[in-house]
Structures are given as structure tokens and as C-alpha cells.
């Protein structure tokens, strides 16, 4: 008898001692892509700002926008309420926290590429 088992539609990652599940179901993939794109576009805008010419209030508002952008992406990938705990673990540093987001977006890119490659292999196999 032949046996079939579904592969997982999620990836487990351990971050600062806690295991999180990153869901890769069809419903969330396009949402992840949108959030990741928005995160990088917003991060680019923020790095292009002339911080030295800004007032203290403008700098504080810029930092708050950056944190909100990080929170939006984090909670899209890891679930609602995850940002605050992880941001604390990162020492409340946006620079340190950006390393986590880089890790998570690379995970997403790897998983998306693997799924695309698996589909391509199946298509090529059927075409033969």
C-alpha cells in the first residue's frame, strides 16, 4: 500500500526561547507579500530622511512610524500581540529588531521559492 502525507503549511521558528508558527497557507501568502513590500518601502523612506534637520518631535514621530511598521510586519507573520514581547527582548532597539525582521523575511522568501520550485518540477514532470 502506498501512503501519502501532507507537508506542513507552516514553519516553526524559535525566537528568544519561544517557538512561533509562521503560517504559509494560501490565505496569508499574498498578505505576507504585501506587508513585506510595505515594510521595505517604508524603511527605505525612513532611511532617506534628513534626521539632523528634524526637530525632536519630528524625530520621535519618525521613530514611532518605524516601530509601527515593524509591529505590522511582525504581527502579520507571528500573530497579534507578538511585537511588544519581542521588541522588549531586542532591548527596545529598532536596529537590533530589524535583524529579526530580516531573518523572517528571508524565511518567507526561501519558503516561497521552494513552493515555486516544487510546482515547476511537477509541471515539468507532467509535460514529459
Amino acid at each position: 500500500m502506498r501512503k501519502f502525507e501532507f507537508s506542513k503549511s507552516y514553519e516553526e521558528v524559535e525566537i528568544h526561547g519561544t517557538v512561533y508558527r509562521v503560517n504559509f497557507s494560501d490565505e496569508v501568502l499574498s498578505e505576507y507579500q504585501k506587508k513585506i513590500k510595505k515594510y521595505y518601502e517604508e524603511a527605505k523612506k525612513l532611511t532617506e530622511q534628513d534626521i539632523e534637520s528634524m526637530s525632536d518631535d519630528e524625530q520621535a514621530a519618525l521613530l514611532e512610524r518605524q516601530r509601527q511598521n515593524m509591529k505590522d510586519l511582525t504581527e502579520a507573520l507571528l500573530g497579534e500581540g507578538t511585537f511588544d514581547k519581542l521588541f522588549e527582548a531586542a532591548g527596545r532597539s529598532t536596529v537590533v529588531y530589524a535583524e529579526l525582521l530580516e531573518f523572517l523575511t528571508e524565511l518567507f522568501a526561501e519558503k516561497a521559492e521552494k513552493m515555486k520550485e516544487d510546482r515547476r518540477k511537477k509541471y515539468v514532470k507532467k509535460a514529459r
Side-chain angles (χ1 to χ4, degrees):
M1 171 173 47
R2 294 178 73 177
K3 184 177 179 182
F4 174 84
E5 299 233 0
F6 287 103
S7 57
K8 299 183 299 183
S9 65
Y10 62 88
E11 188 79 32
E12 289 184 332
V13 292
E14 184 176 332
I15 304 167
H16 200 66
T18 302
V19 176
Y20 296 89
R21 275 191 180 182
V22 181
N23 183 357
F24 287 104
S25 66
D26 293 346
E27 293 81 32
V28 297
L29 288 179
S30 65
E31 185 65 28
Y32 289 171
Q33 288 173 325
K34 289 176 194 170
K35 293 283 187 182
I36 290 169
K37 182 179 179 188
K38 181 182 177 213
Y39 169 75
Y40 280 109
E41 286 173 352
E42 188 69 20
K44 184 178 180 205
K45 284 183 204 172
L46 294 173
T47 59
E48 292 171 350
Q49 299 289 323
D50 183 11
I51 295 172
E52 291 180 16
S53 67
M54 293 179 158
S55 69
D56 290 346
D57 288 344
E58 289 171 326
Q59 287 182 24
L62 183 70
L63 184 59
E64 185 54 39
R65 264 184 45 210
Q66 187 174 21
R67 285 184 186 154
Q68 186 60 49
N69 192 28
M70 292 176 148
K71 180 178 182 175
D72 291 346
L73 180 56
T74 300
E75 294 191 353
L77 294 169
L78 301 178
E80 194 171 326
T82 54
F83 174 77
D84 291 332
K85 177 183 175 186
L86 293 170
F87 191 64
E88 286 295 325
R92 299 191 57 78
S93 168
T94 55
V95 173
V96 172
Y97 198 83
E99 295 172 6
L100 170 61
L101 293 180
E102 188 67 29
F103 168 80
L104 292 172
T105 57
E106 285 176 13
L107 173 70
F108 172 78
E110 289 170 11
K111 187 73 167 180
E113 186 61 34
K114 183 181 180 322
M115 291 166 71
K116 189 165 63 171
E117 182 63 21
D118 289 349
R119 283 191 294 251
R120 187 193 68 76
K121 285 179 183 176
K122 289 177 185 176
Y123 175 76
V124 169
K125 191 183 275 188
K126 287 180 182 179
R128 289 184 185 173

